Amino acid sequence: RFRIDNLGSPVMPEFLEEPITLNGGIYKMGIGGLHSQHDQKCHFVSDDKWQIMDVDVASYYPSIMLKCGLVPDIAGKGERFMQVYEDLFHERIEAKHAGKKSVADALKLILNSTFGKFGNQYCCFYAPELMLAVTLTGQLNLLCLIDKLTSIKGVEVISANTDGITLRYRRTAEKRVKRVIDANTRLTGFEYEYTPYRSISMKDVNNYIAVKENGSVKSKGLYADEGLQKNPTMPVCALAVEEYLSKGVLPEVTVRKQRRIQPFLAIRNVKGGGVQ
């Protein structure tokens, strides 16, 4: 049983406070998504014997809504809502597969923000019970998948976060890994996407730099590009780490070749007036 606070949001119950230990990994469930807690300050590299693979569910929460029929009432128009939502879902998947990143990202924002309105009491989509059904279903599915995968000798979960997991496994175990994930797909209908990594360097589950096999970099949290939704915090530091991990360029070389001041800036929202 979940309690709703005065803002209309579900309150974390005590039974979800305790982390779950599963085959050597530690995982924290919650109102939102699953988060691993055993991935602190670690670095892994793929080689001839070991493969690092990121495995994500495509549009995880929208998929759960569609597969489980989790439809808000919306004054009796829930069926029509789901038809439009499913059309947007398939359009997003097609755009992603076609390499139309800007279209796919825009549709992802629409799909995810629509789900997010399940927790907004001022929106006609408000349905906290559906929000919990989506997030808890997602977490339980990932835990089941983790349990199956880590029962295979030579397979470990480096990290797990909301809609996917990062695996490290012996290359000889790859067929068994794929069989387990394919079995989950047949059971749930979820589409899994694979991204092999050359290396991954983690501060924790929300802050890491992963180098893909083609040399491109996926960064998150502290190391991600500042963009429109994140204030810069001397991004030259993250850039120097990326260049070193992906290309072997020494950090001092990256720092000294900068010709603009922007990579050295840190912007913060402060209150209480200026201090010299």
Side-chain angles (χ1 to χ4, degrees):
R1 181 179 294 245
F2 288 81
R3 184 169 60 85
I4 303 298
D5 64 20
N6 57 6
L7 297 177
S9 300
V11 177
M12 171 82 86
E14 290 185 5
F15 70 84
L16 285 182
E17 293 287 351
E18 191 69 26
I20 297 169
T21 301
L22 187 61
N23 296 340
I26 303 172
Y27 306 92
K28 184 73 167 61
M29 293 185 68
I31 298 298
L34 187 72
H35 288 78
S36 49
Q37 297 189 321
H38 57 270
D39 43 11
Q40 307 289 316
K41 299 178 182 177
C42 53
H43 174 70
F44 297 95
V45 179
S46 292
D47 55 26
D48 293 340
K49 294 183 179 179
W50 292 91
Q51 174 69 62
I52 300 170
M53 184 73 71
D54 193 62
V55 183
D56 283 337
V57 184
S59 290
Y60 197 21
Y61 284 177
S63 291
I64 294 172
M65 289 171 58
L66 292 169
K67 299 296 181 184
C68 298
L70 301 176
V71 188
D73 180 58
I74 321 178
K77 297 180 180 178
E79 185 176 343
R80 176 59 182 153
F81 163 86
M82 193 56 77
Q83 290 174 353
V84 174
Y85 194 78
E86 186 171 8
D87 289 343
L88 292 171
F89 173 85
H90 290 303
E91 187 178 346
R92 192 250 164 173
I93 297 297
E94 290 171 7
K96 187 173 182 179
H97 289 167
K100 300 177 180 178
K101 187 175 186 304
S102 58
V103 175
D105 287 349
L107 291 169
K108 178 182 179 179
L109 182 62
I110 293 171
L111 292 168
N112 288 341
S113 59
T114 301
F115 156 73
K117 293 301 180 183
F118 281 4
N120 185 340
Q121 65 177 331
Y122 301 108
C123 180
C124 61
F125 297 160
Y126 179 59
E129 72 284 3
L130 297 187
M131 187 195 81
L132 288 170
V134 171
T135 59
L136 294 177
T137 297
Q139 293 175 84
L140 291 171
N141 175 64
L142 283 185
L143 286 171
C144 289
L145 184 61
I146 289 168
D147 183 49
K148 295 278 189 183
L149 288 169
T150 51
S151 67
I152 302 171
K153 186 177 180 180
V155 177
E156 62 179 297
V157 173
I158 294 175
S159 181
N161 190 5
T162 307
D163 62 352
I165 56 179
T166 303
L167 299 171
R168 179 176 180 262
Y169 56 82
R170 288 192 176 274
R171 293 186 183 272
T172 53
E174 183 160 9
K175 289 184 179 179
R176 282 173 288 172
V177 169
K178 294 290 180 67
R179 279 200 296 266
V180 167
I181 297 173
D182 289 345
N184 183 277
T185 294
R186 290 192 297 271
L187 180 67
T188 64
F190 299 144
E191 178 185 343
Y192 288 88
E193 299 173 333
Y194 299 86
T195 305
Y197 289 154
R198 211 162 70 195
S199 69
I200 184 167
S201 307
M202 309 188 69
K203 175 182 178 291
D204 51 50
V205 66
N206 290 316
N207 301 279
Y208 63 81
I209 294 175
V211 181
K212 300 178 184 179
E213 287 193 336
N214 62 6
S216 63
V217 174
K218 177 184 177 181
S219 52
K220 186 173 181 182
L222 293 171
Y223 313 108
D225 293 338
E226 54 270 22
L228 294 175
Q229 300 182 29
K230 178 186 173 186
N231 284 330
T233 307
M234 290 174 284
V236 69
C237 298
L239 177 62
V241 175
E242 286 185 14
E243 289 285 295
Y244 178 72
L245 292 173
S246 61
K247 303 174 185 176
V249 178
L250 292 175
E252 55 263 37
V253 173
T254 300
V255 172
R256 287 171 179 163
K257 74 179 182 182
Q258 302 302 313
R259 295 295 178 265
R260 301 180 305 132
I261 194 173
Q262 284 88 340
F264 298 91
L265 294 179
I267 297 177
R268 285 290 179 272
N269 180 26
V270 296
K271 298 179 181 179
V275 177
Q276 182 172 354

